[in-house]
Amino acid sequence: MTTHRDPPVPGITAPHIPADDYRRAEATGAPVVIVVHADGRTGRPAREYLFPLAIAGAGILGVFGLIAAFLALLDFAVHTALTIGGAAGPIGIGGITLRLFRNTH
């Protein structure tokens, strides 16, 4: 008997049967037994979840960076406004004077 072993391929119901084994089984009426080994795993492997999780993690880090940059820009704008307001003193329009900052002296 010929030893012929094809690796099991998913989606194929039976591997290839060598011609001499098939003819011998057909001539003698013996049954042809095909053994396909299953790996026993159910569900998806963990590596299929890794790529979407990596993309989601990168997106979250990008959003955190965007928020941090916005807050840094806002902090800089407030400090700039305080500096300009402190240096300018009171602002007057048409006889009405608005004092933005009080002097500590």
Side-chain angles (χ1 to χ4, degrees):
M1 183 171 193
T2 311
T3 306
H4 184 78
R5 294 187 181 137
D6 284 335
V9 179
I12 297 177
T13 56
H16 172 70
I17 301 170
D20 57 344
D21 291 341
Y22 180 78
R23 287 190 193 109
R24 186 179 309 117
E26 188 178 38
T28 62
V32 177
V33 179
I34 299 171
V35 179
V36 178
H37 297 282
D39 58 358
R41 283 189 265 166
T42 59
R44 292 173 153 184
R47 67 178 162 245
E48 289 189 22
Y49 295 104
L50 183 63
F51 186 70
L53 286 176
I55 297 296
I60 289 171
L61 286 177
V63 169
F64 282 162
L66 186 64
I67 291 171
F70 175 72
L71 292 176
L73 182 63
L74 188 63
D75 184 52
F76 179 74
V78 167
H79 283 291
T80 303
L82 288 173
T83 303
I84 292 172
I91 297 174
I93 297 174
I96 299 174
T97 303
L98 177 64
R99 197 168 182 188
L100 297 176
F101 297 96
R102 297 179 186 257
N103 290 337
T104 57
H105 300 293

